[in-house]
Amino acid sequence: MKRFIIQFCVISIIFGYHLTLAQGNDNKNGTTAAQFLKVGAGARPMAMGGAYVAISNDVHSLYWNPAGITKIDRFSIGGSYTRWFADITHHFWGIVLPVTHNTSVGLSGIFVSMDPIEVTTVDQQHGTGQFYEASDLAICISAAVRPVDFLSIGVTGKIIQQSIYNESASTFAFDVGSLLDIPFKGMRLGMNFSNFGGDLKLDGRDLIKEYDLNPDNTLNTGVQTRLETQGWNLPVNFRVGMAVDLIGRSTEGLLENENNRVTISVDGNHPADAAQYLNIGAEYNFSEILSLRGGFRSNRDVEKFFYGLGLSIPLADKSTFNFDYALASFGELDYIHIFGAGISL
């Protein structure tokens, strides 16, 4: 069994890497659709710079690594809100239900919207008085199983839709992830292959035009035709990472301490439409109540440094309420504020 599991993990990593390599990433910036799928979900993961694939143990695992939902032993619900640039808002919500001790299912959604935009034309460059809207949506269903104590495997199926004005595009995609607990001082290895699916191709009523194939024939007037648009790939990404507790309980940390925990995590990302980059994150936790976090991303143009904090409030019957906040520095584009909350019952 152990040999099979190790082989599975190795094959999964090689498979994911070669699939993204086959997509190619040379000079492909901006050549994929559904860019909103690349926006990280959750204040806690973002405060750690997105170095979360090996840490995943809460509702936000539904985005970062579906295998992580096997770490959740109670019904949990949570979400996050991000106010982006240009009046763009990003919402994430998720629900996780443990079915058995080793099996969990989850439901999540990502919603991106923006304020109405005024229509402009060549003749009316200051606006026509009419407005249009643009939005993005992803509805996801996840399932994960733990075949043995030290390995979890998860998969997510998602329906993706993008809309702008009177046009929209939709497709189906999936994520697959694994989480391996290494039996040495709380070390964890995570892998996630995301957004593998069909192309997005816009369609709508504004693509219907009148076309006269033969102007000399008056019988052909008013013939409707439909403009064909090009399909665009999804932003496929292969992510692999490791996390370790530098300080923790006697069975978890490299240095023993019952009330303090310091976790370091590193993720390597291989996107199909951009250069490879590295996420590095750290989290200090006091008595599983107060957390301080920081993160860094290498080989990125503007998104570099991340900061945040979290508060876990015990409730009755071992339930907990969590509040998290993250601050992301985007250089000349200013700061992004991310708020998250969740409850486990």
Side-chain angles (χ1 to χ4, degrees):
M1 175 61 75
K2 289 184 179 180
R3 180 180 297 178
F4 168 78
I5 292 170
I6 293 173
Q7 290 175 345
F8 171 82
C9 293
V10 172
I11 292 173
S12 297
I13 291 174
I14 296 174
F15 174 74
Y17 179 82
H18 280 284
L19 278 177
T20 50
L21 196 64
Q23 295 278 339
N25 59 11
D26 294 333
N27 300 319
K28 280 199 169 186
N29 289 312
T31 60
T32 59
Q35 291 290 296
F36 75 100
L37 296 175
K38 298 167 67 174
V39 178
R44 183 192 179 199
M46 289 300 291
M48 300 181 69
Y52 207 70
V53 68
I55 292 180
S56 299
N57 60 1
D58 57 17
V59 168
H60 298 101
S61 304
L62 295 168
Y63 174 86
W64 297 95
N65 184 358
I69 63 175
T70 59
K71 301 287 186 179
I72 302 173
D73 58 3
R74 305 172 72 90
F75 174 78
S76 301
I77 182 171
S80 62
Y81 167 84
T82 307
R83 186 74 177 184
W84 275 82
F85 316 111
D87 298 323
I88 299 174
T89 58
H90 178 279
H91 301 265
F92 171 86
W93 60 264
I95 299 173
V96 175
L97 175 65
V99 179
T100 67
H101 179 68
N102 295 314
T103 306
S104 296
V105 295
L107 178 67
S108 60
I110 302 173
F111 307 92
V112 177
S113 61
M114 60 188 68
D115 293 343
I117 304 171
E118 190 170 8
V119 176
T120 59
T121 65
V122 175
D123 298 327
Q124 297 174 287
Q125 298 185 17
H126 296 288
T128 64
Q130 295 180 319
F131 291 83
Y132 70 94
E133 296 181 349
S135 63
D136 301 319
L137 167 68
I139 301 296
C140 315
I141 298 177
S142 304
V145 62
R146 184 164 47 201
V148 290
D149 291 340
F150 55 86
L151 175 69
S152 299
I153 302 170
V155 63
T156 295
K158 59 181 73 172
I159 298 175
I160 303 164
Q161 183 181 63
Q162 291 196 284
S163 301
I164 182 168
Y165 205 13
N166 298 312
E167 278 61 58
S168 64
S170 60
T171 190
F172 178 81
F174 71 90
D175 303 347
V176 60
S178 64
L179 192 59
L180 180 66
D181 293 321
I182 301 174
F184 178 74
K185 298 299 183 179
M187 295 183 67
R188 287 142 286 171
L189 176 66
M191 181 274 295
N192 186 43
F193 179 62
S194 59
N195 305 322
F196 183 72
D199 295 343
L200 281 171
K201 189 174 182 179
L202 284 170
D203 193 12
R205 70 188 192 195
D206 291 331
L207 299 177
I208 300 176
K209 304 293 182 181
E210 289 189 1
Y211 177 72
D212 192 350
L213 182 64
N214 185 2
D216 296 330
N217 187 345
T218 58
L219 298 178
N220 289 332
T221 59
V223 176
Q224 288 189 342
T225 60
R226 183 180 296 273
L227 299 177
E228 184 177 0
T229 59
Q230 180 180 351
W232 293 83
N233 295 328
L234 295 175
V236 176
N237 184 40
F238 177 68
R239 181 186 296 113
V240 62
M242 176 174 285
V244 61
D245 294 334
L246 298 182
I247 300 175
R249 292 186 175 91
S250 58
T251 58
E252 298 176 1
L254 295 174
L255 299 177
E256 298 180 14
N257 193 296
E258 291 299 320
N259 296 320
N260 298 277
R261 175 176 56 81
V262 175
T263 302
I264 301 295
S265 60
V266 179
D267 282 10
N269 292 268
H270 185 90
D273 61 343
Q276 301 177 34
Y277 62 96
L278 196 68
N279 299 342
I280 303 173
E283 180 181 58
Y284 164 72
N285 180 275
F286 174 72
S287 296
E288 301 301 328
I289 296 178
L290 176 65
S291 298
L292 301 177
R293 306 171 181 123
F296 173 77
R297 288 183 178 177
S298 69
N299 201 28
R300 305 296 284 174
D301 291 334
V302 293
E303 50 179 341
K304 296 288 187 180
F305 297 99
F306 301 80
Y307 320 88
L309 54 85
L311 186 64
S312 180
I313 303 173
L315 303 177
D317 194 25
K318 296 184 180 181
S319 299
T320 57
F321 173 79
N322 299 291
F323 173 79
D324 298 289
Y325 168 75
L327 180 67
S329 172
F330 279 73
E332 296 180 356
L333 296 177
D334 209 350
Y335 290 91
I336 295 297
H337 301 272
I338 307 157
F339 301 90
I343 188 170
S344 298
L345 303 174

